[in-house]
Amino acid sequence: MKNKLVMPVLKWVGGKRQLIETYTPLLPKKISSYCEPFIGGGALLFHLQPKKAYINDINHDLIRVYTVIKNNVEELIEELKKYKNEAEFFYSVRDLDRDKYLYKSLSETEKAARIIYLNKTCYNGLYRVNNAGEFNSPFGFYSNPNIVNEPVLRAVSAYFNKNNIHFSSVDYSEVLTDIKKGTFVYLDPPYDPISETSNFTGYSKNGFTKDEQVRLRKNCDDLDRHGIKFMLSNSATSFILEQYSKYNITIVKAKRAINSVGSKRGNVDEIVVRNYE
């Protein structure tokens, strides 16, 4: 029985909550073991709630949030209650990672609470770091952000603890090398930009280039050769369509707000790639 309170605790660039209904008919009929190497906000994971899952993201801060939710949810909730929705307080918390020695002295729970707080109160809920890996989104000036969502945090913690969920923060290819047959893999990488202004890869300091997209496609080819079912989301650029031309491609509409040009925000074409019917 799925728990409806198990849902994303963070807003993440390219989050898939709005596309769950579109994705559902495209998924394999039965998923016993699940792998998501670019977990982000985890909308599909929390919708499916598989009993066995391999969860990974190159973003260490993100994976720390999930492990702290699993291991110390009550401590995390108490920590979050200390945080205030005020600009001055926000910038003092945001700037903690400018002092490497001070940041290192924070506990795992304090670091996780910081990320959740910044995510709930920063502009557009946009997790973004600069070239030094420092969080740099500005204050959002929201009247009443839900900084401490206790029921959801507890429900997600219970889901992690009642099931066999593995966490890692490594390059996605390392996760894919160890995948056992019978595991379903969902890949939601940083998207190929549809224009220069839409190129958002600031959730990690290294970005995701065209070469990275090609490397990912080669990893998908390896999965296919080993008989492992995968589904991949990306933008419907001619480059990506060409990369995955031998697979089943479905075009879907998604609302996207990450563009510096306001008129270019809204419904955009995305692709869903599958190596199965």
Side-chain angles (χ1 to χ4, degrees), residues 52-80:
K52 185 175 185 181
Y54 301 88
I55 301 311
N56 178 76
D57 202 282
I58 197 70
N59 188 310
H60 297 287
D61 286 334
L62 175 63
I63 294 300
R64 180 188 291 114
V65 167
Y66 292 139
T67 52
V68 167
I69 288 172
K70 178 181 179 179
N71 299 325
N72 293 303
V73 72
E74 295 304 326
E75 192 181 310
L76 176 64
I77 287 167
E78 289 311 307
E79 182 63 28
L80 281 167

Side-chain angles (χ1 to χ4, degrees), residues 172 190-195 199 201 207-217 235 237-240 243:
Y172 70 87
Y191 280 16
D192 185 46
I194 50 177
S195 67
N199 188 8
T201 51
F208 208 81
T209 61
K210 286 268 197 288
D211 286 346
E212 280 298 313
Q213 297 287 0
V214 172
R215 181 167 77 100
L216 176 57
R217 194 263 305 148
S235 48
T237 61
S238 53
F239 173 72
I240 295 296
Q243 286 296 314

Side-chain angles (χ1 to χ4, degrees), residues 87-98:
E88 192 178 341
F89 184 81
F90 172 89
Y91 287 110
S92 71
V93 172
R94 191 191 78 166
D95 291 349
L96 284 170
D97 62 3
R98 271 63 173 170

Side-chain angles (χ1 to χ4, degrees), residues 13-275:
V13 174
K16 293 298 179 289
R17 286 179 84 165
Q18 47 149 326
L19 286 168
I20 292 297
E21 284 185 23
T22 308
Y23 283 2
T24 302
L26 301 173
L27 295 166
K29 296 288 176 279
K30 189 184 171 199
I31 298 172
S32 51
S33 178
Y34 178 84
C35 173
E36 193 168 348
F38 304 90
I39 187 64
L44 192 56
L45 167 77
F46 295 135
H47 170 71
L48 294 171
Q49 295 175 35
K51 294 191 180 304
K52 185 175 185 181
Y54 301 88
I55 301 311
N56 178 76
D57 202 282
I58 197 70
N59 188 310
H60 297 287
D61 286 334
L62 175 63
I63 294 300
R64 180 188 291 114
V65 167
Y66 292 139
T67 52
V68 167
I69 288 172
K70 178 181 179 179
N71 299 325
N72 293 303
V73 72
E74 295 304 326
E75 192 181 310
L76 176 64
I77 287 167
E78 289 311 307
E79 182 63 28
L80 281 167
K81 286 177 181 175
K82 301 174 188 173
Y83 289 76
K84 295 176 283 195
N85 182 36
E86 296 167 3
E88 192 178 341
F89 184 81
F90 172 89
Y91 287 110
S92 71
V93 172
R94 191 191 78 166
D95 291 349
L96 284 170
D97 62 3
R98 271 63 173 170
D99 182 335
K100 303 302 176 201
Y101 182 77
L102 175 63
Y103 183 73
K104 205 174 176 181
S105 72
L106 299 177
S107 70
E108 293 293 282
T109 301
E110 286 169 331
K111 287 175 183 172
R114 173 179 173 269
I115 292 301
I116 293 173
Y117 165 73
L118 293 175
N119 184 261
K120 301 290 185 187
T121 54
C122 74
Y123 179 71
N124 208 19
L126 187 60
Y127 184 98
R128 189 183 68 192
V129 296
N130 60 22
N131 289 335
E134 298 162 344
F135 194 96
N136 70 347
S137 295
F139 186 57
F141 291 97
Y142 300 115
S143 54
N144 190 26
N146 194 358
I147 296 169
V148 199
N149 194 335
E150 295 184 48
V152 167
L153 287 168
R154 289 193 178 105
V156 171
S157 180
Y159 165 66
F160 286 159
N161 281 292
K162 285 175 186 169
N163 296 284
N164 191 357
I165 314 296
H166 303 261
F167 300 98
S168 60
S169 183
V170 295
D171 182 83
Y172 70 87
S173 61
E174 289 184 43
V175 182
L176 296 180
T177 357
D178 294 330
I179 290 301
K180 303 287 182 288
K181 203 165 177 180
T183 300
F184 170 63
V185 180
Y186 172 55
L187 299 139
D188 185 25
Y191 280 16
D192 185 46
I194 50 177
S195 67
E196 284 181 29
T197 54
S198 70
N199 188 8
F200 181 88
T201 51
Y203 75 95
S204 72
K205 60 184 180 181
N206 300 319
F208 208 81
T209 61
K210 286 268 197 288
D211 286 346
E212 280 298 313
Q213 297 287 0
V214 172
R215 181 167 77 100
L216 176 57
R217 194 263 305 148
K218 288 177 178 174
N219 273 273
C220 287
D221 291 344
D222 286 342
L223 290 175
D224 190 50
R225 270 194 295 274
H226 289 98
I228 292 166
K229 288 181 181 177
F230 76 82
M231 184 170 106
L232 172 139
S233 308
N234 213 316
S235 48
T237 61
S238 53
F239 173 72
I240 295 296
L241 286 162
E242 186 186 336
Q243 286 296 314
Y244 294 96
S245 57
K246 74 174 190 177
Y247 296 109
N248 291 330
I249 289 178
T250 307
I251 304 287
V252 300
K253 292 278 184 195
K255 277 197 176 95
R256 293 292 173 226
I258 307 305
N259 195 306
S260 59
V261 183
S263 61
K264 291 187 180 175
R265 295 175 192 164
N267 283 334
V268 295
D269 283 349
E270 296 189 358
I271 66 167
V272 177
V273 177
R274 295 176 297 152
N275 68 334

